[in-house]
Amino acid sequence: GEDFVIQWLNALIADLPDGVHHVIGYNSAKFDINLLLPEISKHFTVNSLLGSASAFKQVVISKDEITLKFIDAMLFVSPGPLKNFIKDFGTEGCDEKGIFPYEAITMDNYNEVLSKSEPFTPEDFHSELNQSDISAKDYMLYLEDAKNFNSRWDYLKHYNILDVKAMISPLDNLINLFWEHKIDMLKN
């Protein structure tokens, strides 16, 4: 919940030198930042918001002498799913991304659900958003992967690391592509 976000931000800035640091995400402007911004603004100074209340393009926050500039990479590409962004801009082999049942977790149940040691069930992977279920093949891949973790929290950490690793190559390539045309995407 909210406490986790503030703990994560404080841990993030704890080892950073003073100055401006960029935090680049993909398609986080419409949903994620709207959930997080009210709590962030209680603990950090919100310096600027670019975009609209329904789709932030950039959010700049600061605490002490450290400034974090959250940028959505979708500012620089055509809209589409993360899978397409990775395919279009990534290098071969960077698309290893895990499987996670987002809709099985809410702000009210996250600790109870993630503290369990047994794997998620196929029903946990049902998506009301796109009316889909996990395939038998993907569920078997998940089960093989889940054997390596003691709890769902551990699996979530693993999944998040895979998610971030999958974005590094496409983001680097996008930054370099813009730089070749003398555009510094992180400047403004």
Side-chain angles (χ1 to χ4, degrees):
E2 293 89 5
D3 292 338
F4 176 77
V5 171
I6 299 308
Q7 289 174 6
W8 175 79
L9 282 170
N10 283 324
L12 177 67
I13 67 171
D15 295 325
L16 291 176
D18 292 350
V20 177
H21 304 276
H22 299 88
V23 181
I24 305 173
Y26 187 81
N27 199 21
S28 56
K30 290 182 183 175
F31 183 72
D32 300 343
I33 201 68
N34 280 312
L35 289 175
L36 304 177
L37 196 56
E39 191 62 25
I40 290 171
S41 63
K42 293 177 190 174
H43 304 273
F44 291 78
T45 301
V46 178
N47 299 334
S48 68
L49 301 168
L50 179 63
S52 68
S54 62
F56 293 107
K57 306 297 183 192
Q58 176 178 286
V59 175
V60 180
I61 65 171
S62 62
K63 187 173 187 179
D64 302 323
E65 299 301 315
I66 296 174
T67 299
L68 298 177
K69 188 184 280 189
F70 292 89
I71 302 169
D72 193 324
M74 284 188 73
L75 282 169
F76 306 100
V77 297
S78 298
L82 177 60
K83 181 197 277 187
N84 290 359
F85 176 67
I86 292 169
K87 181 179 164 225
D88 293 345
F89 293 97
T91 55
E92 192 169 324
C94 76
D95 59 350
E96 183 180 319
K97 194 174 176 298
I99 303 167
F100 195 80
Y102 299 102
E103 293 182 43
I105 298 168
T106 67
M107 292 294 282
D108 296 327
N109 74 4
Y110 74 93
N111 196 37
E112 175 189 342
V113 171
L114 294 173
S115 295
K116 293 180 180 180
S117 58
E118 67 268 7
F120 288 104
T121 66
E123 293 77 24
D124 291 328
F125 288 90
H126 175 74
S127 173
E128 285 293 323
L129 184 64
N130 58 19
Q131 292 299 307
S132 66
D133 294 303
I134 191 169
S135 70
K137 177 184 173 190
D138 283 346
Y139 187 68
M140 292 307 293
L141 290 172
Y142 159 73
L143 286 177
E144 280 301 311
D145 207 15
K147 288 179 185 176
N148 299 311
F149 304 97
N150 294 325
S151 74
R152 292 174 177 180
W153 277 113
D154 294 335
Y155 180 77
L156 174 60
K157 182 178 178 182
H158 164 74
Y159 172 81
N160 286 336
I161 290 169
L162 287 177
D163 200 33
V164 170
K165 282 183 178 179
M167 289 193 327
I168 291 172
S169 168
L171 287 171
D172 280 347
N173 290 338
L174 186 63
I175 291 167
N176 290 333
L177 177 67
F178 272 80
W179 188 250
E180 287 174 14
H181 296 282
K182 309 289 189 250
I183 299 169
D184 182 352
M185 9 178 316
L186 304 179
K187 183 173 181 177
N188 297 313

